[in-house]
Amino acid sequence: HVSMVGRNFLTLKDFSPSEIEQLLWTAADLKARIKGTGELYTPLVGKSAGLIFQKRSTRTRLSTETGVGLLGGQPCFLSPDDIHLGVNETIKDSAKVLSGFLDLILARVYGHEDLESLATEGSVPIVNGLSELYHPLQILADMQTLQDHFGNLRGLTVAWVGDGNNIIHSFMMGAPKLGVNLKIATPKGYETYPNVTKDAEELAKQYGTQMYHTNDPRDACEGANVLVTDTWISMGQEEEKQERLKAFQGYQVTHKLGEVAAKDWVFLHCLPRKQEEVDDAVFYSERSLVWPEAENRKWTVMAVILSLLKDHVCTTPKPDF
Ligand code: CP
Ligand code: NVA
């Protein structure tokens, strides 16, 4: 057992393979016990978590708000209209004040550096609820979904067909540590950020996994077990809509694209989804794991928050990753 009490959860880059496995084991443990057997498990009685959102959210907000409550803790949702953060009060001052009220802060922000400031200036664990750079909670949920579906993760190949930003960046930080190969197709000009790519290439080398970049979706999907995409227009990029729709032509995930993938390929999408990046035939098909993927956001965020606040001991067997 490795203790993660007191840590921040800003990027999977900061977490070792055994720590990531323990978070996934904890998520599986909570799911089996609370959902599976109806156990009442309230280790967070007396704890409170602040949820700062500078952008919209359905999944991250609801999974955290209900998840913290389920574990006996108190979640406090703070929309940009409710608090002064970064508007009327500096992040530094807000972080210091909030640290006096709360045991943990989850924040969804524009610039990743705002999370780093919260972590530096505050004195409670900070959890990344999405930044421009990373969305590590989403990747834990994706990994739990693939684990549930395939029975293990090691040796799977994930093909990314889409934009080079937060979601794929977090895949790149997590996949090598779990033995998952990544083949990444992004349109020219929408590649993953150079610093992230460099770090990820090193991780892939260190853990002996494949990490491959291309501008051709078919090339990425060749032999892949999992096809993943995300919106082409992330929150805050609404003004780029027309040029992005043009640049991403040929990137829609369809059964035709899946023809080059492994026979048993499945589809993931963090949601919210638009039709341009994946057609209805795939999105609503048997191959699509998007609903369990969304549900797993809850078990995984519960695992993260619990692990940063307390040493949780799993009572169900460790999955074979
Ligand atoms: N996938 C995800 O983070 O969804 P929300 O924007 O609804 O939180
Ligand atoms: N890339 C998307 C993810 C939403 C969960 C965005 O940043 O808006």
Side-chain angles (χ1 to χ4, degrees), residues 109-249:
V109 298
Y110 286 89
H112 190 75
E113 60 283 355
D114 284 353
L115 290 171
E116 286 166 347
S117 312
L118 283 172
T120 315
E121 304 299 342
S123 53
V124 298
I126 308 297
V127 175
N128 182 354
L130 181 142
S131 69
E132 183 210 1
L133 202 54
Y134 290 119
H135 196 7
L137 288 171
Q138 183 65 49
I139 286 357
L140 286 185
D142 290 7
M143 291 301 184
Q144 181 175 28
T145 308
L146 295 177
Q147 174 75 28
D148 284 351
H149 181 80
F150 287 106
N152 67 320
L153 297 171
R154 226 155 279 280
L156 288 178
T157 296
V158 171
W160 177 265
V161 182
D163 198 6
N165 66 356
N166 44 21
I167 305 285
I168 181 57
H169 285 169
S170 280
F171 257 118
M172 289 161 77
M173 290 301 152
K177 296 178 183 176
L178 292 162
V180 173
N181 304 305
L182 273 184
K183 294 167 80 185
I184 301 161
T186 46
K188 283 208 170 66
Y190 296 90
E191 285 89 356
T192 54
Y193 297 9
N195 295 350
V196 176
T197 308
K198 188 171 157 282
D199 289 346
E201 303 273 353
E202 277 166 27
L203 286 176
K205 211 181 282 164
Q206 184 181 350
Y207 294 107
T209 60
Q210 191 190 6
M211 178 95 57
Y212 176 77
H213 296 266
T214 173
N215 297 120
D216 176 4
R218 280 179 74 86
D219 189 10
C221 293
E222 185 98 49
N225 307 99
V226 190
L227 272 49
V228 195
T229 190
D230 180 16
T231 182
W232 294 346
I233 301 135
S234 284
M235 287 179 273
Q237 298 174 336
E238 291 76 10
E239 281 172 15
E240 298 169 30
K241 184 170 174 183
Q242 289 318 319
E243 65 192 90
R244 284 180 164 270
L245 288 179
K246 230 168 105 196
F248 283 78
Q249 282 314 303

Side-chain angles (χ1 to χ4, degrees), residues 149-150 221 224-227 253-268 282 285-288:
H149 181 80
F150 287 106
C221 293
N225 307 99
V226 190
L227 272 49
V253 177
T254 59
H255 285 294
K256 178 97 191 107
L257 184 61
E259 281 172 8
V260 296
K263 243 199 168 94
D264 61 349
W265 69 274
V266 294
F267 175 75
L268 293 179
V282 169
S285 73
E286 293 282 303
R287 295 187 184 277
S288 174

Side-chain angles (χ1 to χ4, degrees), residues 53 57-64 106 108 129 135 137 297:
F53 283 82
S57 167
T58 299
R59 280 141 289 267
T60 308
R61 175 185 176 174
L62 268 299
S63 59
T64 310
L106 176 144
R108 169 167 288 196
H135 196 7
L137 288 171
R297 289 295 310 276

